[in-house]
Amino acid sequence: MRNGAQDTQLTNQENMIYMGIDVHKRHINVAVMSEHVVLGQNHVEIRDVDAYMVRLKKKYPDRRLRAAYEAGFSGFALYHQLESLGIETIVVNAADVPTTDKERTTKSDRADSLKICHALKCGQLREIWVPPDELSGDRDLVRYRLILRQHLAKTKTRIKMFLYKQGVQIPPELDSSHWTRAFRAWLIEQKMNTVSSQTTFSLMLEELQHADDVYKKHIQRIQELASADRYKQNVQLLRSIAGIGGLTAITILTELGPIARFPTADHLASYVGLVPMRRQSGSSDMSMPIQRRAHQELRALLVQCSWMAIKCSNHFNSVYEHKRKNKKSQVAIIVVTRRLLNTIYAVLKKSQPFVEPSKA
């Protein structure tokens, strides 16, 4: 005999229509399922998504629609689109979707959408946090710095390679990874052997100047963002920690979002990818290196900050040197990075600047 709670749960499940969505650039593949049966699979062009969802709601007027799709290149545009249509939507990490070996070896859009739909119906999916539009825009602005910096670096490399090809030797005192004003002035004075080569070289220098100007303008915009009311206080708090500057602080804040969404420092460490893998079976219990699943860019940035921190902070240097006695430097710096991340969590959670512990 069913009790009242079971009746309510069953009613809610039977009242639900589930959708698993496999997203591509020009179309989506949608698997639709009720509690008991697959209702259909459809190939839908991106421009027709709204119309398709409206038809689906009309077809099942007394049902709640719930959808899920994997996070990827498309970001959260589809999430906001479906939510605006009144469809409950979650975005999931692709690695969290249960997959059989057969599904890995016989992959297709139809199979992927059906797999997501079935996992959604069975309650096996854990949604990821979707940032609000303002934070998402701030994050895109800060992330674009890396693209501009890479473009600037590639432009410089092309110029040097062109000089080598033309047989132009760079003076040893000017040949450095850091392009000084003296080196730039020397570049302008160089003359190539042919008119076409000179034209190519002039265009390269114009591209360099343009890339440099855009990068500087972008840095200025990021600094203005860091000074905005919604970030100013937290940027100052993070800058109280050794190894963290203004650009790093605003990058951390836009990537993490509100610190309150992480219940503990361990949750934050798991998000960044600074927790060890573990394999336990029977009497065997092994701790492995840090997990591969991580926020790669943020973890790399924090490792860079840790190298800076051990140079200018006795506290972090002592952590490094203590671990360095028995471990390799690569392992020791990860320990420092985890300590740095815990400090970031505490500073933001308590809204208090970091104070260097007094040396005993």
Side-chain angles (χ1 to χ4, degrees):
M1 180 180 294
R2 298 176 184 169
N3 58 32
Q6 290 174 325
D7 283 336
T8 301
Q9 184 178 10
L10 185 60
T11 301
N12 289 338
Q13 290 176 337
E14 291 179 344
N15 193 43
M16 188 78 72
I17 295 294
Y18 302 93
M19 287 186 288
I21 304 176
D22 188 44
V23 183
H24 294 272
K25 181 180 178 180
R26 302 184 186 280
H27 72 275
I28 61 174
N29 203 86
V30 186
V32 184
M33 181 184 294
S34 69
E35 179 61 25
H36 305 291
V37 66
V38 176
L39 300 174
Q41 287 190 271
N42 301 98
H43 176 100
V44 183
E45 298 294 326
I46 291 295
R47 62 177 179 272
D48 298 328
V49 170
D50 279 4
Y52 172 80
M53 295 300 170
V54 169
R55 289 198 302 270
L56 202 62
K57 292 182 71 174
K58 288 182 178 179
K59 187 174 182 180
Y60 304 103
D62 299 327
R63 303 287 189 95
R64 291 168 54 201
L65 270 61
R66 195 157 195 254
Y69 71 93
E70 296 174 351
F73 75 97
S74 61
F76 303 109
L78 182 60
Y79 170 88
H80 293 298
Q81 184 179 6
L82 297 181
E83 285 284 323
S84 68
L85 295 171
I87 299 172
E88 301 173 24
T89 308
I90 64 171
V91 185
V92 301
N93 190 310
D96 289 339
V97 179
T99 305
T100 65
D101 182 67
K102 182 178 180 180
E103 288 169 335
R104 291 189 184 95
T105 56
T106 58
K107 189 179 184 305
S108 68
D109 294 349
R110 291 174 62 86
D112 286 347
S113 59
L114 189 61
K115 174 179 63 177
I116 296 170
C117 190
H118 184 267
L120 177 65
K121 186 198 71 156
C122 295
Q124 296 175 322
L125 298 180
R126 184 177 66 178
E127 62 183 309
I128 64 173
W129 181 71
V130 177
D133 288 340
E134 185 176 54
L135 177 60
S136 183
D138 295 342
R139 182 183 288 178
D140 289 339
L141 174 65
V142 176
R143 284 179 177 178
Y144 193 54
R145 180 177 71 91
L146 297 178
I147 298 174
L148 292 178
R149 189 173 67 181
Q150 290 171 0
H151 175 64
L152 185 59
K154 289 179 180 179
T155 302
K156 290 179 177 179
T157 300
R158 282 194 292 267
I159 290 174
K160 279 194 171 183
M161 293 304 297
F162 187 77
L163 291 176
Y164 296 145
K165 184 179 178 181
Q166 295 297 315
V168 179
Q169 297 295 321
I170 302 174
E173 66 273 14
L174 298 178
D175 193 3
S176 170
S177 58
H178 177 64
W179 285 34
T180 62
R181 291 183 180 179
F183 178 60
R184 289 172 181 262
W186 177 85
L187 282 175
I188 296 173
E189 295 174 354
Q190 300 311 300
K191 303 298 180 184
M192 302 298 113
N193 296 327
T194 68
V195 174
S196 294
S197 295
Q198 185 63 44
T199 301
T200 302
F201 186 61
S202 298
L203 290 172
M204 284 183 167
L205 293 182
E206 287 183 22
E207 182 184 6
L208 173 64
Q209 186 62 50
H210 177 69
D212 205 21
D213 290 342
V214 172
Y215 183 73
K216 290 177 181 177
K217 184 182 294 185
H218 187 259
I219 292 297
Q220 184 179 353
R221 296 293 181 271
I222 293 178
Q223 290 171 342
E224 292 172 358
L225 178 66
S227 300
D229 291 341
R230 60 184 181 276
Y231 292 115
K232 186 176 181 179
Q233 181 182 357
N234 283 338
V235 166
Q236 292 174 347
L237 289 173
L238 290 182
R239 294 192 68 177
S240 68
I241 304 173
I244 297 180
L247 287 176
T248 301
I250 190 63
T251 301
I252 292 171
L253 292 173
T254 52
E255 291 297 335
L256 294 184
I259 199 66
R261 75 186 185 93
F262 300 102
T264 66
D266 288 342
H267 284 83
L268 175 58
S270 178
Y271 173 77
V272 175
L274 286 172
V275 294
M277 294 184 290
R278 182 186 177 191
R279 291 183 179 176
Q280 189 275 329
S281 178
S283 60
S284 175
D285 192 353
M286 295 186 298
S287 290
M288 312 292 286
I290 55 174
Q291 60 186 15
R292 289 186 293 271
R293 176 172 171 175
H295 190 309
Q296 298 289 350
E297 294 80 8
L298 187 54
R299 184 167 71 179
L301 178 64
L302 291 173
V303 170
Q304 292 176 10
C305 292
S306 299
W307 284 114
M308 292 296 296
I310 63 175
K311 294 178 181 178
C312 54
S313 166
N314 292 330
H315 171 65
F316 291 110
N317 182 263
S318 63
V319 174
Y320 176 78
E321 292 298 338
H322 176 73
K323 199 67 179 179
R324 187 69 181 85
K325 292 177 182 178
N326 302 314
K327 300 291 184 179
K328 295 181 179 179
S329 59
Q330 295 91 331
V331 176
I333 200 63
I334 293 299
V335 174
V336 175
T337 305
R338 176 62 189 270
R339 181 68 63 89
L340 182 70
L341 186 62
N342 289 348
T343 304
I344 290 171
Y345 182 82
V347 161
L348 293 177
K349 197 78 171 179
K350 299 177 182 178
S351 295
Q352 295 179 356
F354 175 68
V355 178
E356 186 92 2
S358 57
K359 196 170 182 178

